[in-house]
Amino acid sequence: METIAPGVWRLRLGEPEEYTPVSMKQVEIDEDRIARLPDPGMAPFARGEVGFKVTPRGCVVELPLHPAERIYGFGLQLKSVDHTGRRRQLRVNSDPITDTGDSHAPVPFYISTAGYGIFVDTARYAIFNCGTHSRVPPSSAGDALTGEPAGAPVGGLPAGRGSFKSMIVEIPVARGVDIYIFGGPGMREAVQRYVLFSGGGCLPPYWGLGVWYRAYGKANSDDIARLAREIRESGIPCDVFGLEPGWQSHAYSCSFVWDKERFPAPDQLVQDLTRMGFKINLWEHVFTHPSSPIYDQLKQYAGEYEVWGGLVPDLSLDGAREVFGGYHKKEFVDKGVKGFKLDECDSSDFNRDSWSFPTCSEFPSGLDGEQMHSLLGILYQETIMSVFRKNNIRTYSQVRSSHALAACLPFVLYSDLYDHRDFIRGVVNMGFSGLLWAPEVRQCDSAEDLIRRIQTVVFSPQALVNAWLIPHPPWMQYDTEVQEICRRFFELRMSLLPYLYSSFARYHFEGVPPFRALVMDYPGDGNVYGIDDEYMMGDSILVAPMVAGQDVRQVYLPQGNWYSFWTGEKFQGGKTHRICSSLDTMPVFVREGALLPIARPVRYITPDTRFEVTVRAHGQDCRDTLLFEDDGFTFRFENGEYNIVRLGLSSDGRLQVERSGYYRDARYIITGLDRVM
């Protein structure tokens, strides 16, 4: 067992494959920041406790699992949170209709309440049996069939453990694998190590955390300009304006060329929207149509099967990245486009069309179809991300598929599935695996459904309204009262930006997920183990969304005191509360001792935006709060060009503000202190 970084160990079993998430990762391990985490002590188990064997099907790893352990993770799981006692097959599938492990973003990483994490470095469709089986104990005389003595390993796996069940990992095809072990001492520290091993969490541009709007799919240039004016005239906050497939001359597969009949002057449109304060995001997918200017150049780098009549470029190859990324830089990013919606880089069992390539595909790099299905979303993100890095511009974009070690990539997962409870569960789950998820607002059944979904998305990594099915904003279909409620929640999102942006900065520098399940912060509290509809947003805010049809719900608050975000009412922790909530509020609580920065809302973010911040003190003994301050648009923060603004209270209760660092401006103007007692 080899030490890779403090508290991170690698166990090499057999002969690992050439192409794995770790062997192909583009970002270095952040060893310095890993070293700053608390000492986890020894590895959670020794090499001799790990079983391994090669079979005709691939290989099998058996890892210790104590009966009291609970298991979480495995990527973007929409159907369950606690995977203990379940079987998970980690297969890319855009339509995970049952709780099998299929996902837009399956990640072979799990985290235990015992305070450690396990990453299996494979791009195969691995199967994890999470304490589902116990071995048959050998007789005292040994195994009559194999002739093995009692207590000896059988076929390379440990001998029977009696009533103890194991984590049994089946990896197809492979003849070996690297296992990475991430120590704690707690669950959150183990996740931090995994995130920093991935390169640290992403830090979006400030505008990426604002409000997003995706326009009607059949809109033309005039429609887009009209919609943009309507949004600005309405006063609804909005930073990002997204165009759907119709902007291209050919989509499904893609030409990556503007449709000049519907968009006769695209560069001018981008400039006009930019002057209005919008950041433009363009829909696309990776499959490249014969009419595309880059088709002939990409053909030598493509897989052997088409998808929707287009090439599947092998973006693991430098040549393919240079062609694909270079074109995007010249035609879009250099002209002011700030991001992309990377669609259909997943797969599906239920669509009749050629949704993706078969698993038997072969690619020029040597990757096969199974590996490429797992890695295509990551390769796509890395290619697009490299373009923005060359221009020293941060992006915050969308993607349909991801995999392991994705924390450093500023792309938020989304789905065509639309169950609100599943969407909430996605927010709860994503933090275990270094992923981000958007519970986007799309078509709604009622005004109540619209408002409840907007509430959830406001308290999520990406406040996205996807109106691609309707020509006008969804809130405009209802009366002025509904419109006003929607406006207030969008303004609330803008008020929380200093807090949320600083939470993402902690994600980048320390590896703490900005959105996470309660069990990650309270692993010793058995009451939170199965909670799949509440989560932490940063260190101080607990969110418990509601869905249409609910006007009351049960909310469990962990140990300590909590305050209603809306009224300041104090609630005792360690117990469940019955919370009633009208449509203009939702259950949101602030931890006692928090200094919560609340900004005066702005309509959109510019390089000159300054936030007027009032600090809310919750209780008597308040902890210091740190705000991260930089230009919010470029990567200069990586060179140390940022400030830390420390908010604290003096012994006599006065607000103290200390600013330190190398950023020459001040984005936060602290205007006062409110007390919540």
Side-chain angles (χ1 to χ4, degrees), residues 210 318 367 456 474 509 542 550 574 665:
D318 290 341
L367 288 165
T456 300
F509 289 105
L542 185 151
Q550 276 186 312
D665 213 334

Side-chain angles (χ1 to χ4, degrees), residues 13 17 50-63 74 86-91 100 106-110 118-135 157 166-179 370 374 403:
L13 303 170
E17 293 189 286
V50 178
F52 172 75
K53 70 177 179 180
V54 177
T55 76
R57 295 165 52 88
C59 64
V60 180
V61 180
E62 189 168 336
L63 299 157
F74 299 123
R86 300 176 185 267
R87 178 185 185 271
R88 291 284 170 261
Q89 182 172 18
L90 301 188
R91 197 171 59 112
T100 61
V107 179
F109 175 72
Y110 67 85
I118 300 292
F119 172 53
V120 180
D121 185 25
T122 182
R124 297 292 176 188
Y125 291 165
I127 298 172
F128 290 75
N129 300 278
C130 306
T132 55
H133 297 84
S134 297
R135 283 186 161 274
L157 293 175
S166 302
M167 175 68 74
I168 305 167
V169 187
E170 306 170 50
I171 306 164
V173 181
R175 318 307 288 173
V177 68
D178 284 336
I179 305 293
E370 180 181 7
S374 295
H403 199 259

Side-chain angles (χ1 to χ4, degrees), residues 261-333:
E261 290 187 7
R262 300 174 64 198
F263 294 87
D267 294 349
Q268 186 63 51
L269 177 65
V270 171
Q271 293 174 21
D272 291 344
L273 294 179
T274 300
R275 278 194 290 270
M276 296 172 68
F278 292 105
K279 293 80 181 174
I280 309 306
N281 180 287
L282 298 179
W283 176 98
E284 66 169 40
H285 59 226
V286 72
F287 310 123
T288 306
H289 190 259
S291 66
S292 173
I294 57 177
Y295 180 89
D296 290 337
Q297 294 173 275
L298 282 177
K299 197 168 185 180
Q300 63 180 312
Y301 303 115
E304 59 187 327
Y305 292 98
E306 294 180 336
V307 177
W308 290 309
L311 300 173
V312 184
D314 186 345
L315 295 177
S316 70
L317 299 173
D318 290 341
R321 290 178 187 247
E322 290 169 4
V323 172
F324 196 86
Y327 180 85
H328 279 70
K329 182 180 187 301
K330 177 182 177 183
E331 295 298 325
F332 305 118
V333 177

Side-chain angles (χ1 to χ4, degrees), residues 394-406:
R394 276 188 264 170
T395 186
Y396 199 46
S397 292
Q398 298 170 271
V399 68
R400 267 283 283 267
S401 178
S402 199
H403 199 259
L405 311 178

